[in-house]
Amino acid sequence: MERPLLLLDVDGVLNPFAAPACQEGNQVSCSAISAPVVVGVEASSFMVDVGCVHQAVRLWSGCECGEALSPAEAAVRQVEAADVLLVPAPAGGDGEQASVAAALASQLNPRARLVTPPDIDGAGPELPASLVRAAPPDAEGEWKARLEPVTVPATRYGAGRGVETVLWRSRRPLHPGRLADALPVAMRGVVRGRGHLRLCSRPDSVVTWRSAGAHLELREADRWLESADARAWQAVSPQRRAFASWFWDDYYGERRNEITLTGTSLDGPAIRSALDAALLTDAELSLGQEGWTTVPDPLLGSAGTR
């Protein structure tokens, strides 16, 4: 039996990452999560939304409106949730803008099938079945894994139209003050940023990095896994355990910084140089954790989120 096709006409109020249990019995049911999700991307509104961070929208989570998000965050979440990205040609509009929007959407979600003209020319209201890639068998598990505090976001290289992704990694802790100073360079031209940090001011905590447009959210989300803490290893997802084992270092353990930044016309060397300059120096490292925790933290302060 063929799987149903779930087509979302997304208008900024549906949360594709809402918990399925919360959605049960409402317009989007638990069973719908196993269907391929098609998200339509209208080029002009999408490009406006990904740059808009000065107002807030609330995403519907099945039972009530959820957290307030910027239009940029809402737009990229919807693209990231898709199994198929449908980017129609503009009606007498800017073909170049549509090409950039398609390249950007594909870069934000490299696992999705990108459908653009001429694939959909003359297709009418129904998307040809041959263009629909089936949702993964464990779609719910895949979505949950992508929301883990320690993830390795998928990247695609060579999307064209000036769209690219810059990957930055380091084992050393970051100095929060110098990281704050580096943000104007690191965030220039970035549409989406995802990853996790190791801040010296919170040496045992996983600090998640999520940005959309010019809005950056840093959140103290979890603790790093320790080799002897069997209970903590069992409590996390199989994906987290796999990544921890793969990237494990005899000295640092699981601890590491890893960020992917996606946007247009990014200056990769300048971004990496700015972030590298925010790492602790050898002299600062020698102070140990007791010395690190005394460093002022203008990013998270004492609340653990910013």
Side-chain angles (χ1 to χ4, degrees), residues 118-131:
D119 292 333
I120 55 177
D121 283 350
E126 296 184 1
L127 190 65
S130 61
L131 298 179

Side-chain angles (χ1 to χ4, degrees), residues 149 195-199 202 205-209 218-222 224 300:
H196 51 273
L197 305 176
R198 181 190 179 198
L199 293 181
R202 288 169 170 74
S205 298
V206 179
V207 176
T208 57
W209 169 302
L218 299 178
R219 184 179 296 273
E220 190 173 2
D222 204 349
W224 298 107
L300 295 182

Side-chain angles (χ1 to χ4, degrees), residues 84-212:
V84 179
L85 290 167
L86 181 63
V87 186
D94 188 345
E96 177 65 20
Q97 185 182 58
S99 297
V100 172
L104 181 57
S106 181
Q107 190 82 346
L108 291 171
N109 185 355
R111 54 178 277 282
R113 174 73 179 272
L114 179 65
V115 181
T116 60
D119 292 333
I120 55 177
D121 283 350
E126 296 184 1
L127 190 65
S130 61
L131 298 179
V132 179
R133 175 180 297 164
D138 184 19
E140 179 182 347
E142 180 174 309
W143 284 16
K144 288 180 178 178
R146 289 161 64 193
L147 296 178
E148 280 275 10
V150 180
T151 60
V152 181
T155 57
R156 169 178 288 163
Y157 299 98
R161 302 294 179 178
V163 176
E164 60 182 310
T165 293
V166 174
L167 170 64
W168 179 77
R169 288 175 175 159
S170 178
R171 290 284 187 177
R172 288 194 179 210
L174 283 156
H175 187 289
R178 292 202 296 274
L179 176 59
D181 293 338
L183 291 180
V185 175
M187 296 284 290
R188 188 177 300 144
V190 172
V191 171
R192 182 55 148 174
R194 294 186 65 187
H196 51 273
L197 305 176
R198 181 190 179 198
L199 293 181
C200 74
S201 54
R202 288 169 170 74
D204 296 322
S205 298
V206 179
V207 176
T208 57
W209 169 302
R210 186 168 65 191
S211 69

Side-chain angles (χ1 to χ4, degrees), residues 223-226 228-237 240-241:
R223 296 180 68 82
W224 298 107
L225 294 174
E226 304 291 348
D229 193 346
R231 180 176 297 181
W233 281 77
Q234 289 299 317
V236 301
S237 71
R240 170 84 180 270
R241 292 196 295 271

